[in-house]
Amino acid sequence: MHNPDPSFMTSDGLNAAVDLMRSPSGTPGDDLPSVLPESGVGDMHALEMLSGYVLGKAARLSAPTSLAHMDPPTPWITWAMALWDASLNQNMLHEMTSPFATQAEARVMSWLTPYFGMQGGHFCSGSTIANLTGIWAARDAVGVKRVVTSEAAHLSVDKACRLLGLELVKVPVDSLGRLNRELLPDLDDACLVLTAGTTATGSIDSLDLIGAARWTHVDAAWAGPLRLSPAHAAKLDGIDGADSVAVSAHKWLFQPKDSALVMFRELEAANAAISFGGGYLAKPNVGVQGSRSAAAIPLLATLLAWGREGLAQRLDRLMEVAESLADAIEASERLELWGRPQTAINVFRPVDRPTDAFVEALPAGMLSKCVLDGETWARSVAANPSVDIDCVIESVLAASRDDV
Ligand SMILES: *Cc1c(COP(=O)(O)O)cnc(C)c1O
């Protein structure tokens, strides 16, 4: 007898969930049980109970004051696709369990790889995994023995070297936060990891170093999407000579987590190095992850809805937002700017007040902090297209005076 379980079907509860999103100010209701409940409260009650927590107590990444982190708000079309994705639960591991999703990923890849000069690649859960995958390919496709990167590289490069058993050599940075090319060691047996948009200062390493090592991986987790903006694409010129490139889609492509791309210039050779066959697999499993979500579908929807132009307009505006904040900081005698923003990240501090107190005096989520050469700086990252930069500038200038 066919006995469908209503918990697995569409329900009015979904409309209720969307209604709750429109007024997310609800306060948490009942306390969450401290041990696994013996009997459930039911789907609708669980929805209502959680709205105060999940919606009510989240960090507000779309707030007009949100400028602290690389985590953008996401466009609603991605919420719709994420809902569909969750309900369909396709698995990229087997084409049989993801017939359209597999095509969607191939299509998005073919839309984006030309901007990076890459032949193809795959989605993964973040650039931590994308960097690991690129460095893994470097080790097993061309036999690199060590990894050379700058002291400003993301800690995922350290993790990848630890996991892969590769020696890591860190090169100091220059005054612009870029790998200091004067101090590069011999690169014959090395994978050179260059960063396009360092996490702390948004600096772009000199991409004309691509080709100097046996393999070059570009960690473009943050700034990679600038390739789609005619106004800023040239900042990453030379990237098309890299052997592999990582880009986080859940940063400047405005995607829900977990979404990133790892791309290869010579796809077949790279895939051969990072693939495993298996008795139950029709096709080899490529990359680090096994089961994978259809994260390409929300990105497909975003790029379809916005076009390249719509994405570029948003990135260009965020670059301008960072410029106008930098102008205001430079014009203030109470603030010191670390350097002009390279990829919409500003690093600065008050001259007559501790940086910690300065950041804490501002609304949560307006600024973050970073440590450079042992000194603490305030940091802003323009990832939120809805930011009110005039309001931020006003608050920053006010907080730079410790008498307010
Ligand atoms: C964010 C970031 C990473 C890690 O990416 P996740 O998507 O958070 O795993 C790697 N490199 C750089 C430069 C980053 O900014």
Side-chain angles (χ1 to χ4, degrees):
M1 195 178 84
H2 182 224
N3 207 355
D5 179 337
S7 279
F8 291 82
M9 298 161 63
T10 52
S11 149
D12 288 346
L14 290 168
N15 298 329
V18 172
D19 287 342
L20 287 164
M21 291 171 79
R22 293 204 176 92
S23 51
S25 53
T27 45
D30 313 356
D31 280 347
L32 291 176
S34 55
V35 295
L36 176 67
E38 195 52 34
S39 49
V41 297
D43 297 333
M44 283 308 287
H45 190 171
L47 184 74
E48 280 155 22
M49 199 171 147
L50 286 175
S51 70
Y53 290 100
V54 180
L55 298 173
K57 294 187 130 190
R60 294 260 159 245
L61 303 175
S62 63
T65 52
S66 176
L67 198 67
H69 296 287
M70 290 178 161
D71 300 277
T74 49
W76 71 261
I77 188 105
T78 66
W79 313 346
M81 295 302 126
L83 180 66
W84 290 357
D85 269 358
S87 75
L88 298 166
N89 204 23
Q90 307 287 287
N91 189 350
M92 303 301 293
L93 184 59
H94 302 276
E95 201 163 344
M96 272 176 71
T97 55
S98 55
F100 175 70
T102 297
Q103 288 174 27
E105 178 165 311
R107 186 62 56 94
V108 176
M109 274 293 166
S110 75
W111 286 356
L112 292 177
T113 47
Y115 291 92
F116 302 90
M118 300 289 115
Q119 280 181 354
H122 60 272
F123 275 65
C124 52
S125 66
S127 284
T128 297
I129 301 295
N131 286 339
L132 172 63
T133 312
I135 297 168
W136 175 17
R139 191 193 67 177
D140 289 357
V142 301
V144 302
K145 299 281 179 283
R146 54 202 186 119
V147 170
V148 175
T149 196
S150 93
E151 280 173 356
H154 190 264
L155 54 86
S156 55
V157 178
D158 301 63
K159 289 183 192 172
C161 291
R162 179 85 65 87
L163 289 167
L164 293 165
L166 291 169
E167 181 198 348
L168 176 60
V169 180
K170 287 205 180 169
V171 179
V173 292
D174 65 14
S175 61
L176 292 175
R178 306 172 305 186
L179 180 143
N180 187 335
R181 57 193 304 154
E182 308 294 316
L183 304 176
L184 270 175
D186 181 79
L187 295 170
D188 270 356
D189 61 354
C191 170
L192 177 62
V193 176
L194 299 173
T195 311
T198 58
T199 315
T201 63
S203 306
I204 302 176
D205 287 339
S206 306
L207 298 185
D208 64 350
L209 288 169
I210 289 172
R214 192 178 292 183
W215 184 284
T216 310
H217 174 77
V218 178
D219 176 0
W222 169 245
L226 288 180
R227 286 302 279 174
L228 281 82
S229 157
H232 298 291
K235 294 187 165 66
L236 274 67
D237 270 358
I239 196 168
D240 45 6
D243 296 284
S244 52
V245 175
V247 175
S248 280
H250 54 216
K251 290 181 175 173
W252 245 357
L253 292 173
F254 306 98
Q255 293 305 292
K257 296 174 187 67
D258 304 300
S259 187
L261 292 80
V262 58
M263 300 176 277
F264 297 100
R265 187 159 48 86
E266 292 185 27
L267 184 64
E268 243 178 84
N271 278 354
I274 57 167
S275 294
F276 282 77
Y280 60 92
L281 288 173
K283 278 202 298 187
N285 174 205
V286 181
V288 175
Q289 290 172 254
S291 296
R292 269 197 305 117
S293 74
I297 289 181
L299 182 54
L300 179 81
T302 307
L303 295 173
L304 192 62
W306 291 0
R308 185 206 50 74
E309 244 174 42
L311 175 68
Q313 277 164 11
R314 287 165 175 95
L315 295 176
D316 291 355
R317 193 180 107 67
L318 289 168
M319 292 288 278
E320 282 165 26
V321 157
E323 286 292 331
S324 61
L325 177 58
D327 290 345
I329 293 164
E330 271 191 331
S332 164
E333 286 172 359
R334 294 172 181 278
L335 291 166
E336 176 190 0
L337 185 67
W338 178 83
R340 292 299 303 186
Q342 298 171 54
T343 56
I345 295 175
N346 275 301
V347 173
F348 57 103
R349 62 185 173 188
V351 291
D352 35 43
R353 163 162 216 201
T355 302
D356 291 313
F358 167 68
V359 171
E360 273 138 42
L362 289 163
M366 186 175 279
L367 299 178
S368 47
K369 289 183 274 188
C370 66
V371 177
L372 300 174
D373 284 331
E375 293 183 29
T376 304
W377 293 77
R379 164 180 173 267
S380 69
V381 183
N384 170 18
S386 306
V387 71
D388 179 348
I389 194 60
D390 296 332
C391 158
V392 171
I393 289 172
E394 210 175 292
S395 308
V396 161
L397 294 178
S400 67
R401 314 168 28 162
D402 61 0
D403 52 347
V404 290

